[in-house]
Amino acid sequence: QVQLVESGGGLVQAGGSLRLSCTVSGRTFATYAMAWFRQVPGKEREFVTGTNWSGRRTYYADSVKGRFTISRDNAKNTVYLQMNSLKPEDTAVYYCAAGQTGVGYTLHDYPYWGQGTQVTVSS
């Protein structure tokens, strides 16, 4: 069984910063590709960022490139999303996801998902 739990969401002013965390159960975290997706009502869940098992390869959606940073600490079974220069359009439910192969860009690439954490950016 693999379980993912997100934390760190909340309300922040535009231009501010927020740091999300995702902790994965078990002792095989270091073998997983990890990713963050986000979703707003009426829209499809979209890829935000992902990283391979070692953290040496990272990928970002154009909308967040230069503002968001994904990182991981395999010793803590945790992946992070540092969000800077937040904009109102970043408001969404953010989901952590884990996969058993390389980084993918669709939800079908990730069999394991967290329950999501709400991020709200006020203007």
Side-chain angles (χ1 to χ4, degrees), residues 6-78:
E6 302 99 335
S7 63
L11 176 65
V12 65
Q13 290 182 310
S17 298
L18 209 59
R19 180 179 171 90
L20 306 183
S21 299
C22 173
T23 299
V24 183
S25 66
R27 294 180 174 87
T28 59
F29 174 77
T31 69
Y32 298 148
M34 300 295 300
W36 290 93
F37 288 71
R38 67 186 181 186
Q39 188 171 26
V40 299
K43 292 189 176 182
E44 296 180 348
R45 192 172 299 185
E46 67 173 359
F47 175 84
V48 177
T49 180
T51 186
N52 73 333
W53 67 272
S54 69
R56 292 192 179 99
R57 296 181 181 271
T58 58
Y59 308 87
Y60 297 92
D62 288 341
S63 59
V64 306
K65 194 172 297 182
R67 299 187 298 119
F68 290 11
T69 303
I70 188 171
S71 62
R72 66 191 298 163
D73 185 341
N74 288 348
K76 296 182 177 180
N77 285 8
T78 300

Side-chain angles (χ1 to χ4, degrees), residues 2 4 32-33 96-102 106-114:
V2 178
L4 286 67
Y32 298 148
C96 181
Q100 296 171 312
T101 57
T106 77
L107 60 89
H108 300 289
D109 295 314
Y110 299 93
Y112 309 113
W113 292 84

